[in-house]
Amino acid sequence: MSDAAIAETTSAAPTHEGGDTGPARSLASDAWRTMRRSPFFWISSALIAVFLLMAIWPSLFTSTDPTQAVLSDARVRPNSEAWFGRDIQGYDIYSRCIYGARASILVGLLSTVLTTLVGGTVGVFAGYAGGWTDTLLSRLGDIFFAIPLLLGAVIVLVTLPATDNYFLIVLKVVLALVVLGWPSMARLMRSSVIQVKPNDYVQAARALGASPWRVIRSHIVPNALAPMIVVATINLGAYISAEATLSYLGIGLQPPTVSWGVDISAAVVGMRTTPHMLFFPSLFLSLAVLAFIMLGDVVRDALDPKNR
Amino acid sequence: MGTYIIRRILQMIPVILGATFLIFAMVFALPGDPVAGKCGERPCSPAYRAAYIQKYNLDKPLPVQYGKYVLNLAKGDLGTTSNNIPVADQLKLRVPVTGKLALMAVLIETGIGILAGVLTGIRRGGFLDNLVLVSTLVLISIPIFVIGNLAQLYLGTRLGWFPVTVTSSNPSVYQLLLPAIVLGSLSVAYVSRLMRTNLVENLRSDYVRTAISKGLTKRRAYGLHALRNSLIPVVTFIGFDFGALLGGAVVTEGIFNIPGIGGYVFRAIRVRDGASVVGAVTFLVIVYLVVNLLVDLLYGLLDPRISHE
C-alpha cells in the first residue's frame, strides 16, 4: 500500500507547481485542494445549494400554492398535472416538498449555528481556563448531556407557550435542540483546546505578553476549530432529522406549517394505499440530511492530516 | 479501583440533582392550571384541586417543592402518577421491555457494525468498502420513523416474516426482533464507520508493523493488536448509545406498539403527568451515568495502559 502511495506522489509531483518546496500552504487551502478532487464534495455542495435556494425562494421551483386544496383530486397518484400526486387534503405534494425545505433548513442552520456558538464558547473557556472553571462548566454540560435528547426536547417544547407565528414555532424547535445539544459541542471544543494549549506558539505568544483574549482569538481558536467544523456539518443533517422526528411525533411544527416532517406524519396513516404521499417528502428529507452528512465526511477527510 | 469508582459515583450526584431539577422546574413550574385535564372533560372539584396542590406542595416556592421531591427520591419513592399508581410500579412494568429492546438493538449493532467495520477496514478501498460506505451513508440519512414504517409494511405486513406489532406486555425476543433491527439500524452505520476509521488508523501504526515483522501471522497481529486497540472508541459509542436507545426509542415503540418507557414518558408529557415524567427521566439519567461508568471501567480491560488506580 505504501509503495503504491509513494509511486503515486512521485508520478504526481511534476504536475504540482512547486510541490513541497513551494510556499507553505495553510490547512484551509490544503483542505480545499483535497476536497476539490472529491466527487462527493461536488454532489453534496450541489444538493445543498439547491435546498438553500428552495428555502429562500420556493416560487422559483413551483407556482402552485402548497396550501391550495383541490379536494376532488385528493390522494391522486403522480400525474402530468401534479407531478408528485396530491395528498389527503388535495394539496400538491411537489409544491409542499419545495416549500417544506424552508422549515427544515432553518431549523438545521439555526440549531447548528447556536450550538456551535454556545458550545464553542463554553468549550474554549473551560479548556483554556482549566481548574475549577473547567470542572464547573463540564459538570453543567453533563447535566444537559445526561437528559435523553428526544424526550428532553419534547419536554421543552411542551413547556414553551403555544404560538401560531411561523418563525416563533421554528425558534421553539431550535431552542429545544440547542438547550440539549450544546454540551457535545462544548466537550469537543474543550478537548481540542486542551490539545492546542501546550503548543510552543501559544506559550510564545503568552511569553510575549499577549492578552488571554488575543491568545484565544488568534492562536487557540483557529487551531482548534477543525473538529468542530466537521461535527457541525454532520450535526446540521442530524438536526434536520431531529426536527422531522419531533414534527412526526406531533410536537414540533404543527399542520398549518408546511414541513417534510408534518407531511410524513400525515402520510404514514395511508402508507399502504397511497405510498406516494410518504415517498416524496421522505425522499426530500433524506436527500437534505444526506447532503450535509456527506459534506461533513468530505471535510473531515480533507482536514485530517493522517489521511495524506 | 475502589476509590475511583467511589469518586465517580460521588461526581454523579450533582449531575443527577441538576438534571432532575431542570426537568422538575420545567414540568411543575408550567404556567397554567396544574390540574387541567386531570378530571376528564369537566373541571376538577375544589376538593381534588386542594388535595393535588397539597400533595405536590404546589403552593410552596419551587425550591421547597423540589427539596421535598428529592427527599422522597432519596427514600426510593418516585411519587405516584395522576391515576394514583406508584411511578416505581409503572417503571417496573416497562423498563424490562425497553431494556430488552435496547439490549437486542445494541447486540445487533455491535455484531453487524464491528464485522462490517473490520471487513472494510482490512480491505480499504475495495468493492465491499465502497458498498458499506455508501449504504451506511444512506442508512444514516433516512429518518428512523421512515425506516420503521417501511420495515413494518414490507417485512411485517407484506412478507409476513416478522410480527407486525407487539401484542403482549411481556414480548418475546421474536416479537421484538424487527423493532430492534430498526432501532439499531442507525447505530450499525455509526459503529461500522467508527470501527473502520480506527482500524485503518491502527493498521498503519508502528506496533502492528512490529508485530508482523517479528513473525506474527496477519490474523494474530490484526486480531489481537490492532482490533483490540481500535475497539475503545467503539465501546465508548456503544455505551453512550445504550443509554440513548433506552430513552430514545419513543418513535420505534410507537410504531410497533411496544409498551416501553419511551412511550410512557411521551404520553406522560402530553397529559402533564409531572411525577411520571420526572421519575422516569431521573431513572434514565441514572442508567445513562452508570453505563458510562461501566464503559470507563471497560477501558482498563481493553487497554492496559489505562488504569484507574
Side-chain angles (χ1 to χ4, degrees):
Chain A
M1 180 207 85
S2 55
D3 287 333
I6 290 165
E8 212 176 274
T9 37
T10 43
S11 67
T15 55
H16 273 276
E17 331 88 11
D20 278 351
T21 52
R25 301 198 304 248
S26 71
L27 181 64
S29 72
D30 226 18
W32 168 238
R33 274 163 179 268
T34 319
M35 279 194 303
R36 248 185 350 196
R37 284 201 295 268
S38 162
F40 287 118
F41 171 71
W42 293 109
I43 297 173
S44 54
S45 301
L47 275 174
I48 290 170
V50 170
F51 280 119
L52 280 180
L53 206 58
M54 239 181 238
I56 300 167
W57 208 353
S59 52
L60 208 63
F61 295 85
T62 172
S63 52
T64 320
D65 181 4
T67 53
Q68 189 200 4
V70 184
L71 275 176
S72 56
D73 278 355
R75 291 185 295 189
V76 293
R77 302 232 161 202
N79 54 54
S80 60
E81 210 168 290
W83 292 351
F84 292 177
R86 287 183 188 276
D87 71 2
I88 199 156
Q89 304 281 0
Y91 296 143
D92 182 63
I93 292 176
Y94 172 70
S95 163
R96 285 184 78 82
C97 285
I98 300 288
Y99 278 85
R102 183 174 286 169
S104 298
I105 299 286
L106 258 182
V107 169
L109 278 179
L110 286 177
S111 309
T112 307
V113 169
L114 286 177
T115 44
T116 309
L117 281 180
V118 176
T121 315
V122 171
V124 168
F125 205 58
Y128 190 76
W132 65 268
T133 324
D134 181 19
T135 314
L136 200 70
L137 288 174
S138 297
R139 287 295 91 73
L140 190 70
D142 284 352
I143 291 174
F144 288 90
F145 202 72
I147 299 173
L149 177 79
L150 210 53
L151 292 177
V154 173
I155 296 175
V156 175
L157 283 171
V158 172
T159 307
L160 292 170
T163 165
D164 281 337
N165 184 302
Y166 179 82
F167 284 100
L168 284 181
I169 298 176
V170 168
L171 279 183
K172 267 171 69 176
V173 178
V174 170
L175 188 73
L177 292 175
V178 171
V179 163
L180 296 156
W182 69 268
S184 60
M185 282 304 208
R187 280 186 180 187
L188 189 70
M189 196 61 184
R190 176 182 169 271
S191 65
S192 39
V193 167
I194 287 175
Q195 272 175 18
V196 170
K197 205 181 147 194
N199 280 341
D200 287 344
Y201 54 86
V202 177
Q203 301 303 331
R206 285 167 77 179
L208 286 169
S211 67
W213 165 240
R214 194 185 151 76
V215 174
I216 287 176
R217 198 180 40 134
S218 47
H219 297 291
I220 302 264
V221 170
N223 287 296
L225 211 55
M228 188 101 147
I229 295 173
V230 173
V231 174
T233 320
I234 294 175
N235 272 359
L236 217 160
Y239 287 135
I240 291 179
S241 189
E243 180 274 312
T245 309
L246 287 171
S247 300
Y248 170 80
L249 288 172
I251 291 285
L253 304 172
Q254 303 290 329
T257 316
V258 184
S259 132
W260 297 329
V262 170
D263 283 6
I264 294 171
S265 175
V268 162
V269 192
M271 189 164 78
R272 275 208 266 172
T273 43
T274 49
H276 68 278
M277 277 164 49
L278 180 71
F279 176 75
F280 290 107
S282 306
L283 180 75
F284 273 61
L285 176 63
S286 304
L287 277 180
V289 178
L290 178 78
F292 285 105
I293 289 176
M294 202 151 79
L295 184 68
D297 263 8
V298 175
V299 174
R300 180 186 37 220
D301 288 347
L303 285 176
D304 188 359
K306 282 188 214 115
N307 274 344
R308 304 238 164 76
Chain B
M1 191 78 162
T3 38
Y4 174 79
I5 296 177
I6 290 170
R7 207 177 66 227
R8 284 289 301 267
I9 289 176
L10 287 178
Q11 277 180 354
M12 278 182 197
I13 293 172
V15 176
I16 296 172
L17 287 179
T20 48
F21 180 72
L22 261 183
I23 304 290
F24 191 89
M26 280 197 283
V27 174
F28 278 99
L30 286 176
D33 188 1
V35 291
K38 294 275 187 299
C39 312
E41 293 292 313
R42 62 210 155 76
C44 288
S45 66
Y48 178 87
R49 172 187 299 270
Y52 189 84
I53 287 175
Q54 166 84 35
K55 188 171 168 200
Y56 291 103
N57 306 300
L58 292 179
D59 47 349
K60 310 247 169 50
L62 184 67
V64 177
Q65 291 177 32
Y66 178 65
K68 295 210 168 179
Y69 179 81
V70 169
L71 280 182
N72 283 333
L73 192 66
K75 287 184 232 155
D77 178 11
L78 287 165
T80 56
T81 68
S82 52
N83 304 333
N84 227 9
I85 303 165
V87 174
D89 287 0
Q90 286 285 309
L91 289 182
K92 257 180 237 157
L93 275 178
R94 290 159 200 277
V95 167
V97 179
T98 304
K100 201 172 180 183
L101 178 66
L103 201 66
M104 283 169 66
V106 163
L107 285 179
I108 290 169
E109 73 181 60
T110 314
I112 300 178
I114 291 183
L115 187 70
V118 169
L119 288 178
T120 54
I122 288 176
R123 299 231 167 90
R124 195 178 163 218
F127 171 72
L128 190 68
D129 188 18
N130 283 318
L131 182 76
V132 169
L133 267 185
V134 172
S135 55
T136 50
L137 204 56
V138 171
L139 209 56
I140 294 174
S141 309
I142 304 176
I144 189 151
F145 51 92
V146 175
I147 298 183
N149 280 307
L150 287 180
Q152 189 184 38
L153 175 60
Y154 286 103
L155 302 179
T157 316
R158 294 262 163 91
L159 293 173
W161 291 353
F162 298 96
V164 179
T165 53
V166 170
T167 47
S168 85
S169 58
N170 185 23
S172 63
V173 171
Y174 176 57
Q175 279 192 321
L176 287 178
L177 194 56
L178 187 60
I181 292 172
V182 169
L183 194 60
S185 62
L186 183 67
S187 308
V188 164
Y190 281 118
V191 169
S192 67
R193 297 182 133 219
L194 205 57
M195 189 70 221
R196 174 185 176 275
T197 318
N198 283 297
L199 192 63
V200 164
E201 215 163 88
N202 278 324
L203 286 181
R204 275 189 294 201
S205 65
D206 290 339
Y207 63 83
V208 172
R209 196 174 306 131
T210 311
I212 289 181
S213 58
K214 80 176 182 192
L216 250 61
T217 56
K218 259 197 172 164
R219 175 184 289 260
R220 210 171 150 73
Y222 287 177
L224 200 69
H225 295 275
L227 189 64
R228 197 166 136 184
N229 276 294
S230 313
L231 273 175
I232 289 180
V234 179
V235 167
T236 312
F237 175 81
I238 292 172
F240 160 78
D241 203 45
F242 181 70
L245 288 182
L246 275 181
V250 190
V251 174
T252 317
E253 285 177 4
I255 294 171
F256 292 99
N257 190 34
I258 299 166
I261 195 164
Y264 170 60
V265 179
F266 184 66
R267 266 194 306 281
I269 297 171
R270 297 305 302 262
V271 300
R272 301 206 166 177
D273 184 357
S276 299
V277 178
V278 185
V281 175
T282 306
F283 172 79
L284 288 174
V285 167
I286 293 174
V287 170
Y288 171 80
L289 292 171
V290 170
V291 170
N292 267 310
L293 175 60
L294 291 179
V295 166
D296 283 358
L297 293 176
L298 253 183
Y299 287 172
L301 286 180
L302 286 172
D303 189 345
R305 285 172 300 185
I306 302 171
S307 91
H308 298 299
E309 290 309 322

